[in-house]
Amino acid sequence: MAVLKVKFTKNKRDKLAQVLWILNWISVVTGIILFSLGLFLKIEIRKRNELMANQEVHSVPNMLIAVGVIACGINFLGGKICYDCSDTNKFHRWKLFMLPYIICTFFFTFCILVGALMCYTMRNELEESLYLGLKEALKFYKDTDTPGRCFLKRTIDMLQIEFQCCGNNGFRDWFEIQWISIRYLDMSNKEVQDRLKSNVDGKYLMDGVPFSCCNINSPRPCIQNQLTNNSAHYNYDFQSEELNVWRKGCRKALLEYYTQIMQSIGFTVLIIWLFELSVLTGVRYLQTAMENVLRQGDPDSESDGWLLENSFVETARSNLNIIKNLGKSNQINAISGNEDPNMDVPTADYGPDNVPPKQIPTASQPQS
């Protein structure tokens, strides 16, 4: 029994073909939108590529860009097919091509769904990439004279100012690394010498943060050094001075920023997937209705259209049997190939006609 069978008159078939022609052109526009969203996300990620540890996060924008390009080609071809389906004579040239086209388009729409889901499931990979990338970038903050790293100070300062954040997980991350270059330390100063000697790795550590961590909304001048020492500053309480430096870590700030973008893109891609699925459903109805018209031989007659000719269970069972038969035929061919009696049979090269020469009997010698 056919699944979701619908009866179509000639007028309904023509209208369905015209509507699908328009929808396929709209789908070309949605393909451009997918491409644009992927390109936008890729550019946003590349802006802070040096703050990410791995390149796996680029899989989402790359997926969207590829799907967008393919969508334009598939839907452009679909528009041509639907335009010709309004004429029975023109449908003949697409008859054998339509079913493979529908199958390929179905897998393509599945890729769109995968792209939408990836936008929601990449949060953990993105968070890990940001955590490791920011951890390495903070270590090289002081290397303003090292080629390949000299840009990181400006990158991190601009990041902390723009996203109003400080450190990786928080401002205390700066306490654990040396973020001031040796060239700016007075090595003759006893305090500097004591700090370097007090650390096992010989690093200059202090409870201070760069200027970019300062909160612009603070009512007092920014306190960057000795943040945890209340006696070092007048009328200062470390626990209550929440407005002095940014408390949010940059990893969390960037994660929220990219998560918001990816969720918005994912929702848009999900809507596009539903739209593409509805267009594919209409093309399937049009294909089955036109094939039934050709079987009847009357282009003006009514015809049935359906999604599946048999039920879901019967269709799955028949496809499974086809796969099993293909496997059995391959095994039979392999076995028969090994037992071919004509294989490995030596032939004598007797001549052009492959006829052995006659043997001339030798004369026996007389006995004495």
Side-chain angles (χ1 to χ4, degrees):
M1 181 178 178
V3 177
L4 298 177
K5 184 168 66 175
V6 178
K7 189 173 290 295
F8 291 92
T9 62
K10 184 180 185 307
N11 187 32
K12 288 183 178 180
R13 289 195 301 270
D14 292 343
K15 287 184 177 180
L16 178 61
Q18 293 172 1
V19 171
L20 289 174
W21 176 75
I22 296 173
L23 292 180
N24 272 281
W25 279 107
I26 296 176
S27 296
V28 173
V29 178
T30 61
I32 297 174
I33 293 174
L34 285 173
F35 177 83
S36 302
L37 290 175
L39 189 62
F40 168 75
L41 182 58
K42 191 174 185 67
I43 292 173
E44 286 297 314
I45 292 177
R46 286 185 67 88
K47 283 181 180 179
R48 299 168 183 90
N49 196 46
E50 62 274 5
L51 301 177
M52 299 183 185
N54 56 61
Q55 302 300 319
E56 294 181 1
V57 292
H58 287 277
S59 60
V60 176
N62 290 340
M63 179 77 167
L64 295 177
I65 290 173
V67 167
V69 173
I70 297 173
C72 293
I74 286 181
N75 291 305
F76 179 82
L77 181 60
K80 174 63 177 174
I81 293 174
C82 294
Y83 181 80
D84 289 345
C85 284
S86 58
D87 187 351
T88 309
N89 296 325
K90 292 182 178 180
F91 175 74
H92 278 284
R93 65 176 126 177
W94 298 108
K95 179 182 177 182
L96 298 177
F97 180 78
M98 281 199 71
L99 184 57
Y101 169 80
I102 290 174
I103 294 174
C104 292
T105 307
F106 174 78
F107 285 108
F108 163 71
T109 54
F110 179 76
C111 291
I112 297 179
L113 177 61
V114 171
L117 296 178
M118 287 176 66
C119 292
Y120 290 97
T121 58
M122 283 294 292
R123 178 183 173 89
N124 293 334
E125 289 81 357
L126 180 62
E127 184 175 9
E128 182 181 2
S129 178
L130 287 171
Y131 172 76
L132 297 176
L134 284 168
K135 185 177 180 181
E136 288 298 313
L138 293 181
K139 291 180 182 179
F140 302 135
Y141 179 86
K142 67 181 185 301
D143 298 338
T144 54
D145 297 329
T146 305
R149 301 176 184 173
C150 55
F151 63 91
L152 283 175
K153 179 183 182 302
R154 182 181 184 278
T155 300
I156 295 175
D157 284 334
M158 293 300 296
L159 171 69
Q160 294 185 146
I161 293 172
E162 180 180 356
F163 286 87
Q164 299 182 354
C165 59
C166 185
N168 191 348
N169 298 313
F171 66 93
R172 289 181 179 273
D173 293 332
W174 291 106
F175 300 174
E176 302 172 0
I177 61 173
Q178 179 180 335
W179 53 273
I180 299 178
S181 177
I182 293 292
R183 65 179 297 186
Y184 301 114
L185 295 176
D186 184 5
M187 303 304 295
S188 62
N189 188 295
K190 188 177 183 302
E191 182 182 353
V192 173
Q193 294 176 1
D194 292 341
R195 281 186 179 273
L196 292 174
K197 291 178 181 179
S198 63
N199 185 264
V200 177
D201 298 326
K203 295 181 179 180
Y204 184 79
L205 305 181
M206 61 179 184
D207 56 344
V209 296
F211 77 97
S212 53
C213 284
C214 293
N215 188 340
I216 59 175
N217 299 316
S218 176
R220 67 181 298 165
C222 182
I223 297 176
Q224 298 176 239
N225 299 320
Q226 297 183 340
L227 287 173
T228 57
N229 187 0
N230 291 335
S231 61
H233 310 283
Y234 176 74
N235 192 21
Y236 177 75
D237 184 2
F238 167 69
Q239 299 295 332
S240 62
E241 292 289 336
E242 296 183 359
L243 296 178
N244 188 60
V245 295
W246 303 117
R247 297 299 179 106
K248 181 187 291 186
C250 291
R251 175 179 59 86
K252 182 179 179 181
L254 282 175
L255 185 63
E256 291 176 352
Y257 173 74
Y258 282 116
T259 300
Q260 184 178 3
I261 291 178
M262 294 177 71
Q263 286 181 352
S264 300
I265 292 176
F267 180 73
T268 304
V269 175
L270 197 61
I271 294 177
I272 292 175
W273 171 72
L274 293 174
F275 178 76
E276 292 284 350
L277 192 62
S278 63
V279 174
L280 177 61
T281 303
V283 173
R284 173 60 175 169
Y285 273 116
L286 181 63
Q287 178 237 344
T288 53
M290 292 300 295
E291 286 186 352
N292 288 328
V293 167
L294 294 180
R295 293 192 187 101
Q296 296 172 7
D298 184 7
D300 296 329
S301 62
E302 293 185 349
S303 62
D304 292 331
W306 51 70
L307 291 181
L308 294 175
E309 188 172 1
N310 300 313
S311 65
F312 290 102
V313 177
E314 292 175 354
T315 302
R317 187 180 300 150
S318 63
N319 291 332
L320 186 61
N321 291 332
I322 291 173
I323 295 173
K324 288 181 179 180
N325 292 332
L326 288 175
K328 290 180 180 179
S329 64
N330 291 333
Q331 293 177 357
I332 293 173
N333 291 336
I335 295 173
S336 62
N338 292 333
E339 297 180 355
D340 191 349
N342 295 324
M343 297 293 291
D344 301 329
V345 177
T347 58
D349 189 13
Y350 297 119
D353 298 326
N354 203 24
V355 178
K358 295 181 178 180
Q359 295 182 355
I360 301 174
T362 57
S364 59
Q365 296 180 357
Q367 298 178 355
S368 58

